[in-house]
Amino acid sequence: MTVSREIRLASRPVGAPKPENFQLVTTDLPEPGEGQILVRNTWMSVDPYMRGRMDDAPSYIPPFALDAALEGSAVGEVVASRSASVPAGATVSHFLGWREYAVLDAGAATVVDTSIASPTDYLGALGTTGLTAYAALTRTAPVEEGDVVFVSAAAGAVGSIAGQLARQLGASRVIGSAGGPHKTKKLLDVFGYDAAVDYRQGDLPGQLAEAAPEGIDVYLDAVGGDHLQAAIGAIRPGGRIAMVGAISGYNATEPAPGPDNLFRAAAREVTLRGMLVSSHFDLFPEWIGKAAGWLADGTLRTEETVADGIERAADAFLGVLSGANTGKMLVRLGAGR
């Protein structure tokens, strides 16, 4: 038996989650069965979409169960294997995060190549985070040569990649929204944005109009609400909007206000299209083939915000919801030190 600690959902949050909604539990894991592996997790990811899974409500992904370990992307080392395809010693990515050790079917793990990128890159730029930016800007709201692109939550995990990717795809100007002077400075100095909007300063439409006086062509929406309204107000005829999230309403206890200018989108023949990254996994090889090279030569710059220890996982998740992270928020587990 392997002793492991894990984070369980103790109760469903009402509004913003609180520490008491989570419970740290020590448990015994069985040895892996035939075709299974035992993984010592070294890194795990916390992401905004996890908030929706804490509600017992129909969605595109099942809700978390009460009194059971949470789930999410993780990377770790295989310490025992009963599978010929995934040997002991391999580094794998899988979906049983929020725990120090995991027993899973070998087919549910992906062996990752740590010679071309660090293990944490497979949770960020080379994981679903990077793929979200790539699919959004190549399929859902494709960037065309000369476009003006606006990205919300631009200093976050997806946004910090999306701005750089928009430039690679031919954008003439890239504008990002973030909260506070530290993050907006990062957009300009690190993540390659041409202009930065600080939504905490208010007058989002006015700031966007100053940054893009002739309007925008593409908007990557991770926020919803006032950001979506401002983008619709600024978008040019034939514009494209990729709706990948709506973090402004994730903790709402009443219906969150939406944009009241949707007819403008109709009159300008704008496309508003939702996107689930799970519908675009076929792009993974193409994306990793490009992004690994960009990471290696410094073309793609990333940052990580790291919390240490499984006992800090809930705090890290709460930090993502409040905007405490720059780039990808990760939890480093014991063996990842």
Side-chain angles (χ1 to χ4, degrees):
M1 302 290 283
T2 299
V3 177
S4 177
R5 294 184 298 168
E6 62 188 32
I7 302 292
R8 297 181 181 178
L9 186 64
S11 58
R12 299 200 183 278
V14 178
K18 300 178 176 60
E20 53 264 33
N21 297 128
F22 305 90
Q23 183 181 22
L24 178 62
V25 175
T26 300
T27 187
D28 293 327
L29 295 182
E31 295 303 311
E34 187 65 32
Q36 291 187 318
I37 56 175
L38 171 66
V39 181
R40 180 174 62 236
N41 289 335
T42 52
W43 295 90
M44 56 165 277
S45 173
V46 291
D47 302 285
Y49 82 88
M50 294 173 174
R51 174 61 187 86
R53 295 193 69 188
M54 294 176 185
D55 296 329
D56 188 10
S59 185
Y60 64 92
I61 188 170
F64 291 129
L66 287 175
D67 301 317
L70 298 165
E71 298 174 341
S73 297
V75 168
E77 179 189 357
V78 178
V79 293
S81 173
R82 295 189 63 188
S83 166
S85 62
V86 184
T91 300
V92 297
S93 64
H94 61 89
F95 205 61
L96 292 184
W98 293 89
R99 65 203 81 192
E100 293 176 314
Y101 288 83
V103 174
L104 64 152
D105 292 341
T110 300
V111 177
V112 299
D113 185 353
T114 57
S115 70
I116 63 170
S118 72
T120 59
D121 285 328
Y122 290 95
L123 296 176
L126 300 185
T128 55
T129 294
L131 184 64
T132 297
Y134 188 63
L137 297 182
T138 60
R139 279 186 175 172
T140 309
V143 175
E144 299 173 358
E145 192 74 28
D147 278 346
V148 176
V149 178
F150 177 43
V151 178
S152 60
V158 173
S160 58
I161 293 171
Q164 299 172 78
L165 178 58
R167 178 78 68 214
Q168 290 284 335
L169 294 171
S172 63
R173 184 166 175 79
V174 186
I175 302 155
S177 170
H182 174 73
K183 287 189 176 181
T184 52
K185 188 173 188 300
K186 285 276 188 182
L187 296 188
L188 302 176
D189 295 348
V190 178
F191 300 133
Y193 282 85
D194 297 298
V197 171
D198 184 352
Y199 67 83
R200 292 182 181 171
Q201 296 299 314
D203 189 19
L204 190 59
Q207 290 191 68
L208 184 55
E210 183 176 348
E214 296 182 3
I216 64 174
D217 300 290
V218 172
Y219 171 49
L220 193 158
D221 184 27
V223 175
D226 60 345
H227 277 71
L228 181 55
Q229 173 143 339
I232 292 172
I235 205 155
R236 296 196 280 219
R240 287 86 66 202
I241 297 176
M243 305 171 71
V244 303
I247 195 171
S248 66
Y250 286 173
N251 291 327
T253 55
E254 298 178 355
D260 61 13
N261 58 347
L262 281 173
F263 182 72
R264 180 183 178 89
R268 297 199 165 202
E269 298 184 301
V270 172
T271 300
L272 293 88
R273 186 176 178 188
M275 196 204 88
L276 299 177
V277 70
S278 56
S279 297
H280 302 276
F281 284 167
D282 63 297
L283 284 177
F284 250 136
E286 177 182 319
W287 168 242
I288 290 176
K290 294 179 179 181
W294 290 339
L295 286 170
D297 67 17
T299 299
L300 181 59
R301 303 178 68 180
T302 62
E303 289 204 9
E304 298 167 349
T305 302
V306 176
D308 277 302
I310 188 70
E311 63 276 6
R312 294 285 312 283
D315 290 338
F317 171 69
L318 300 182
V320 165
L321 295 182
S322 65
N325 59 301
T326 298
K328 182 72 177 179
M329 177 71 90
L330 296 171
V331 179
R332 177 167 42 202
L333 304 178
R337 296 176 187 275

